[in-house]
Each structure stands twice: as structure tokens, then as C-alpha cells.
Amino acid sequence: FPDDIPINIANPANLETLSRIFKGREVYMVVGSDVIANASSYKKAPVPHSIHHMNHIAFRRVGEDKYDSKKNPKMFKVIKKHVVELELPAHLEEISSSMIRENIDLNRDISNLIDPGVQEYIYGSGLYLREPEYKPFVSGKVISFEETDGIDARLEKEILAMLPMEKEDAARLVETSRRRGDHVLLLRNQQEKGRLTGVILTQHLKPDSLYKILGDVELADEVRRHTSGEVLLVAGIHVCTDSGIYDAEQYLLAEAIARSLPRGCSYALYFPEDGHATSQAISAVRRQGFIRARGENPDIPLYLVDMQQPLVLLRNMRTTIKEPLASNGRVLSILEKTHQDLQIALTGLYPGQLVLSISASIIYPQLVEKITKLNEVPNEPVVPRKLGHYMCVPYGKILRDKVVPNTVTKTLHTDKVFTPDLSVGTIEAFHNYPKLEDQIRMIRAFDREVILVDDLLHQGGRFDALKPLFEREGIGIRKVLLGMLSGYGRDTMALHGVDVDCVYFIPNLRGWLVESTLYPFIGGDTVERPHVQVAGLSPSINMIYPDTKPILRGSGQKSLYDFSACCIRNARDIVLTLEEEYRALFGRNLTLGRLSEAVIAPLCPDRGQCVGYDENLGASV
């Protein structure tokens, strides 16, 4: 049956098309009795051409009373036309999709479970390796932020209990913050019932108040020459010793900076007036691009950063690795180390300029809240399901393997595909998926307006390619929701006349990087080749040396080299750790041919058609 004719059994118009295609012949729907009992399409009221008016061949599920028509005779009453009941032989009844998947994971012969041709295709394409049977729901908040413009008695008690210092020093810090009128951003660990684990104290300064704060005429003048808007003053970053959140200082600082950008802040200072600055806080500050001010008191930390054109790094490595490795302690540790190394390398590209690192784990829950609020449904799964009117369609890397609670979720699998000489890059369907026109026709079959979701929009290339296809199919775009949106991107969407919202607004974006796309074998962009050299791994390009010159204008040659070298080292260290932990867990080697057991969508760096890979070796080799 052609895949450019999508049939959604919940759409009466699609079923009418199906009957018309086979005009003059009887059409039967073949289903298990559990589908008739559970599927939402059967629970709707019958209308002309709906599923209720189709002939059925129903396979009775033996052993489960609610799915056995002999014990539940009302089950087939919803079907208005002819029903043929069949029952599988006992040896076939035992076969299930989970049994087949388990045997694939163990690399066993499954030709006695499915057609041998299908077996050959599954193994030849590297499918179903360590894949969950159902897409998981987007997990809830692990951490959350809370803003306040003052410290009341309740909050003071929480802060004093949290601060890792003597009580007198802690009380003095709180009193000083009150006197200055600091803006307070709190970090809470939601896995521990919202326990307060960190706080960052900030102020928004006018340029004419800099001397009063800094006490140095030349330093105040230097900052004023770099900014005409507000200046963000970070007056303190404080995290408890048992926060349970690795690198909590980084999360706090990045969140405070991201929230200040829409206000027009174009410069930031880290200047804890009490002189209390931990090594972890200094590390987080430096990794965001802050540099030490010249000529100030060496005993008092003072760091500066220009925020006019930030370089944004989306931290998404944990979302690219499969369970149980994604929750493995050693894997998490290497992801933290390599991310920090990457941040340091990025600060060398534009010294003194902001490098803003934002985690996908922070963006995901906030996107889900926006999607479910727009859809007027709860943001946690409920029983029975209550589905909203709109359909969520992720069209980039974000949420591509997840389901939004109480929301019809259908990923549009897209990819940026380059010609072999890298001269042209176009937006096309991801490898092994139907072409974009057919995928969008399938979305049309759901007969719903869509909420489009992506991680970042700047120049709008991906959206520009998809919008005409949605218009051609008559699909209404209710809203475009983004993890990050630049000023240029917002203007582009206004030109399209599309309603847009985001978690983070970055007015003047210099450029952006998605961490996973920088690492060979783990991510990247696809290269168009007629054949795949390793099953399940498309040929790819990473935008780093030695493959190509990184697209980071205005950077020095040495800094680009150091950045590329860091990406390759990080990829090697991550893959080595995955291989070691996989061997410890499953007692066999994680070879290139089975890399998709550990990485959600692995790729194979393109070396042309004349250089081969040995799929029995590890990616680290």
C-alpha cells in the first residue's frame, strides 16, 4: 500500500478514501480485540464512514477476559457491520512484539517469529536495538527556578539553613542583600520536594551608577564604553554543599543571564561585594566567558563579560543516549567533564564575549508547560486520557523521541542533508523515513491544528522549508514554540504572520551550537550518499576540523583548531565510557554495528565511498 496515501482509522474522511480506492470490493479492518476495546477511535460516537461502519476481522485475545468476546459479548457491539472472529493457534498466540525486540537485542535468529525477509531488513538497517516499546513521556522538572524581589522572613529562614557558611556570616549576607535591594533567583531541587539548594543575587544597574558600585573611575569608564543599556551585576552565587545537582552554579548563572537579556542588558559583572566567591562559582563564571578585570584589587574577585552578541550552546548530550546508560553514574560524570571542557574551548573563540550554555533538561519541562497550557490539558499523564484539540509536532532534534502528556504527539523527522562536496545543504527527511511531503500528509490525516516545536530558531531555514508544505495540505499552524528564539528569528516569524513563543529570548544572537552535533559518531548533519557503509548509521559531517572549517565567523585560526580538537577528544572519551559501561552491563562489546544500542540516532563520519569501516570494532577505535 503506498505510503503517500495516509490512512488514520480515527479520520472518517481517510476511511472513505480507503473504501473508494477499493471500490466494488469488500474492505475489512484486521485488528486484535484489545484494539477494539481500547482505541479512542472506537470510543467516539459513530458517524458516516467512521471505523464503526467498516467490516472487521478481529483476533480474539485468549486468556484476557476483557478482550475475550465470549466473556465480554458487548465488546463488538460498537461495530455496525460484519465482524469475523478468529483465534490464533497457541504457538502463534505467544509471539509478541516485546519477545521479538528482546531477541533482536540478544542478536538471535527471529526467522521463526517473523518473515525471514523482514528479519533481514531489521538487522540490515540496525533497527529496534535497545528501543523502548512505547515512546516515553517527557519527564517532569528535575530543578526549578523561582524569582523574588526581596527576602521575606520565610525565605530568610530557608536561605540561612541552606548557606554553607557560619550563621553570623550568613545573616550578614542576607542583611546586605536586603539593604542593596537585590533581585533574588532561587534554585530548587524538585526531586527532593522543592528543597532550596542555591541562590543567585543580582541587580540591574544604570551606566551612571557603575562608579558607586566599582569604586574605580577607569574600570567604570571601561564598562560604560562597552554598553549603552543596563548592566547585570551578579553580587553572589551560593549553593549548598549537598544540593544533589551537579554544577548548580552553572544553572543559576545561565538562568540569571538568560532572563536579563530581554531587558536589554548588554554587559555583566561578577562582583561579590562580601568577597565570598567559591571556586565552583568562579569556574561557572569563567565558562560563560567572563574575564578578570584589569587593575582591580587582587583580593576581591571582579569579572566582566560583554553580552551584546552571545554565542549559545545547547547542552543536550543526555537526551541523545539511551537508558540504562543515560542514568549511569560514570556516563553522567564524563558528560559533565566534557561539557565543561567544551565551554572552556568556546570561550577562546571570542574572548570576553558571553558563551551562554543552556541545558535541554531545563528547556523540556518549560516547553511541555507551554504546550499543555495552550492545549488546555494537564501537564502530567491522567487516566483516562484527556487529549487536547491541538497536535504537537516537533520538527527538529528536541522532543523527537518523546510524547507530550495528554497531547497527540507526532514527530516530523527532518534533517539537514549536504551534498558530498558540502557545497549545498537542504532540509530533507531523516534517513529511513518517508519524504517530507508524505510525513506532512500523515499529519494532515489527524485533522488537527498543529503546535510546531523546535529547539532554536534564528534564520528560520528549517521552518522556511516546511511552511509551504503545511500550507499545501491545508494544515493550520496554531503556534510555533521554541526553546530559544533570536531577535532575527522573531522578525522572520512576524514576516510569515505566525504566532511564536519561546522559553528563552536572545535578542542579538551571534551564533548557536548544539552539543551532540559536534561529536563524531554521536551526532551531526547527514551527507547524501547512495549507500550506507554501516547498518543503521547514515554518513555524516560534523562542522569542525578536519572535516570542514567551523562556521564561527570572527574567530582566530588557533581558537578554531583548539575548539575542534576539544570536540574530537570529548567524542572519544564519551564513546570509550559508553563502551566500558555497556560491556559491564551486558557482557559484550559495543561495536560500531550496535552503536544504536547506546546512542539514540548515531551517525557515521563520511569518508567517501572508498574508505570503509569495520562494524565489528568500537567507535572509539
Side-chain angles (χ1 to χ4, degrees):
F1 194 80
D3 58 7
D4 60 348
I5 306 177
I7 302 296
N8 181 351
I9 64 169
N11 187 331
N14 282 182
L15 294 177
E16 183 183 13
T17 298
L18 182 66
S19 298
R20 191 167 62 248
I21 289 171
F22 296 105
K23 188 176 181 181
R25 290 194 273 177
E26 289 290 308
V27 178
Y28 282 77
M29 305 299 294
V30 184
V31 296
S33 58
D34 55 327
V35 174
I36 296 172
N38 295 326
S40 58
S41 53
Y42 290 90
K43 295 179 180 179
K44 291 180 179 178
V47 297
H49 305 291
S50 68
I51 191 68
H52 312 83
H53 298 284
M54 297 291 292
N55 297 316
H56 277 69
I57 296 174
F59 282 89
R60 188 164 49 243
R61 296 294 298 269
V62 179
E64 298 183 57
D65 290 358
K66 60 181 177 179
Y67 302 143
D68 189 336
S69 59
K70 293 179 180 176
K71 298 177 180 177
N72 184 13
K74 295 180 180 178
M75 184 170 53
F76 293 148
K77 292 268 170 102
V78 296
I79 300 171
K80 309 302 179 186
K81 293 196 77 176
H82 186 214
V83 178
V84 177
E85 280 193 76
L86 298 177
E87 191 174 302
L88 287 171
H91 70 281
L92 293 180
E93 181 72 35
E94 294 174 359
I95 296 176
S96 66
S97 59
S98 55
M99 177 193 293
I100 295 170
R101 286 168 180 267
E102 183 181 346
N103 279 278
I104 292 170
D105 280 340
L106 295 171
N107 202 26
R108 291 173 177 166
D109 178 59
I110 53 173
S111 59
N112 62 328
L113 303 177
I114 58 174
D115 184 274
V118 177
Q119 173 185 252
E120 185 178 341
Y121 184 83
I122 288 173
Y123 281 123
S125 303
L127 305 179
Y128 303 122
L129 296 174
R130 298 278 159 208
E131 287 285 355
E133 189 169 355
Y134 300 104
K135 287 185 178 181
F137 286 104
V138 182
S139 55
K141 287 183 179 180
V142 176
I143 65 175
S144 65
F145 297 98
E146 180 185 330
E147 281 187 288
T148 175
D149 281 323
I151 300 176
D152 58 21
R154 177 194 61 81
L155 184 54
E156 178 180 3
K157 186 176 178 181
E158 273 193 284
I159 292 175
L160 290 177
M162 180 271 296
L163 289 172
M165 59 182 72
E166 296 293 332
K167 286 187 177 180
E168 290 181 4
D169 294 335
R172 195 179 306 116
L173 187 149
V174 170
E175 189 53 42
T176 302
S177 177
R178 273 206 187 108
R179 187 182 69 251
R180 287 194 306 249
D182 287 342
H183 186 75
V184 182
L185 181 66
L186 308 169
L187 174 67
R188 296 189 179 277
N189 188 336
Q190 292 301 330
Q191 291 184 315
E192 299 181 17
K193 299 181 180 180
R195 178 171 70 92
L196 181 64
T197 55
V199 60
I200 185 168
L201 309 172
T202 62
Q203 296 180 47
H204 293 95
L205 307 176
K206 300 294 183 186
D208 57 8
S209 63
L210 286 168
Y211 172 70
K212 181 181 177 182
I213 297 294
L214 299 176
D216 185 304
V217 174
E218 290 188 5
L219 197 56
D221 184 59
E222 181 186 340
V223 175
R224 269 194 296 269
R225 277 189 278 111
H226 283 85
T227 181
S228 57
E230 287 188 338
V231 176
L232 174 68
L233 170 66
V234 180
I237 306 173
H238 305 280
V239 174
C240 67
T241 52
D242 62 339
S243 68
I245 302 167
Y246 193 90
D247 206 10
E249 292 83 0
Q250 154 72 33
Y251 287 114
L252 275 166
L253 182 61
E255 187 71 18
I257 291 172
R259 294 186 183 211
S260 72
L261 288 172
R263 293 185 53 143
C265 286
S266 56
Y267 216 81
L269 312 175
Y270 175 60
F271 186 41
E273 292 182 50
D274 59 357
H276 183 82
T278 63
S279 59
Q280 292 91 340
I282 295 292
S283 171
V285 164
R286 285 177 168 166
R287 284 182 277 122
Q288 302 296 140
F290 285 71
I291 56 174
R292 186 131 192 175
R294 298 188 302 273
E296 48 45 274
N297 186 337
D299 297 327
I300 300 176
L302 174 56
Y303 290 82
L304 318 171
V305 73
D306 188 332
M307 304 199 305
Q308 292 188 73
Q309 288 185 291
L311 175 67
V312 173
L313 172 64
L314 178 64
R315 180 183 185 179
N316 71 330
M317 274 304 301
R318 189 171 177 184
T319 65
T320 67
I321 294 174
K322 291 183 178 178
E323 294 292 355
L325 292 167
S327 301
N328 180 281
R330 281 199 65 220
V331 172
L332 292 176
S333 294
I334 198 65
L335 294 185
E336 293 290 349
K337 178 191 177 298
T338 51
H339 179 75
Q340 292 189 15
D341 289 346
L342 180 60
Q343 285 182 282
I344 293 167
L346 289 173
T347 61
L349 297 172
Y350 308 103
Q353 307 290 310
L354 177 63
V355 176
L356 184 61
S357 172
I358 295 180
S359 174
S361 63
I362 304 296
I363 293 176
Y364 274 31
Q366 295 184 72
L367 270 179
V368 168
E369 283 190 7
K370 288 180 178 293
I371 293 165
T372 52
K373 184 177 180 181
L374 184 62
N375 222 357
E376 298 180 341
V377 292
N379 62 7
E380 295 289 340
V382 294
V383 179
R385 284 198 310 165
K386 178 193 175 187
L387 293 174
H389 295 293
Y390 306 119
M391 179 178 179
C392 174
V393 179
Y395 64 97
K397 289 182 171 60
I398 205 161
L399 296 178
R400 64 182 172 185
D401 59 331
K402 300 288 192 297
V403 174
V404 177
N406 310 303
T407 302
V408 178
T409 310
K410 179 71 176 169
T411 300
L412 182 57
H413 296 273
T414 65
D415 199 10
K416 189 166 188 179
V417 180
F418 285 92
T419 53
D421 63 357
L422 308 184
S423 60
V424 179
T426 55
I427 302 300
E428 298 180 20
F430 197 77
H431 180 66
N432 273 343
Y433 282 89
K435 57 185 181 180
L436 292 178
E437 293 83 353
D438 291 345
Q439 290 189 56
I440 289 175
R441 207 170 283 122
M442 174 62 76
I443 290 168
R444 177 68 185 87
F446 283 79
D447 201 22
R448 295 170 181 263
E449 280 193 288
V450 298
I451 302 168
L452 295 179
V453 182
D454 199 4
D455 45 16
L456 187 143
L457 190 142
H458 179 42
Q459 295 176 333
R462 199 176 298 256
F463 180 80
D464 290 344
L466 297 175
K467 186 170 182 282
L469 303 180
F470 278 97
E471 290 176 343
R472 192 183 307 161
E473 291 299 325
I475 301 172
I477 300 173
R478 175 64 183 84
K479 201 165 205 171
V480 177
L481 290 176
L482 303 155
M484 288 175 278
L485 175 68
S486 70
Y488 188 97
R490 185 176 64 180
D491 295 344
T492 301
M493 299 306 276
L495 188 65
H496 283 299
V498 175
D499 192 11
V500 63
D501 191 13
C502 62
V503 176
Y504 294 107
F505 179 60
I506 317 288
N508 195 19
L509 183 68
R510 178 190 296 273
W512 77 96
L513 298 166
V514 178
E515 187 173 3
S516 65
T517 64
L518 301 173
Y519 297 154
F521 293 103
I522 295 170
D525 294 310
T526 303
V527 176
E528 186 180 5
R529 292 284 183 189
H531 303 292
V532 173
Q533 290 190 326
V534 180
L537 304 188
S538 302
S540 67
I541 179 78
N542 302 96
M543 293 299 173
I544 58 174
Y545 289 133
D547 291 354
T548 185
K549 183 175 181 179
I551 307 173
L552 293 163
R553 296 179 181 86
S555 302
Q557 190 70 24
K558 184 180 184 305
S559 61
L560 289 175
Y561 176 89
D562 292 341
F563 158 67
S564 299
C566 175
C567 292
I568 293 171
R569 282 194 305 269
N570 284 356
R572 176 202 62 192
D573 293 346
I574 291 169
V575 170
L576 271 171
T577 305
L578 289 173
E579 289 170 357
E580 289 167 5
E581 294 307 300
Y582 178 91
R583 190 180 303 114
L585 282 169
F586 303 113
R588 60 177 181 267
N589 291 333
L590 179 62
T591 61
L592 197 58
R594 298 185 72 84
L595 186 58
S596 55
E597 290 196 38
V599 180
I600 287 173
L603 298 165
C604 208
D606 180 54
R607 296 288 176 263
Q609 294 298 102
C610 301
V611 179
Y613 285 95
D614 185 344
E615 64 180 39
N616 297 311
L617 296 175
S620 60
V621 179

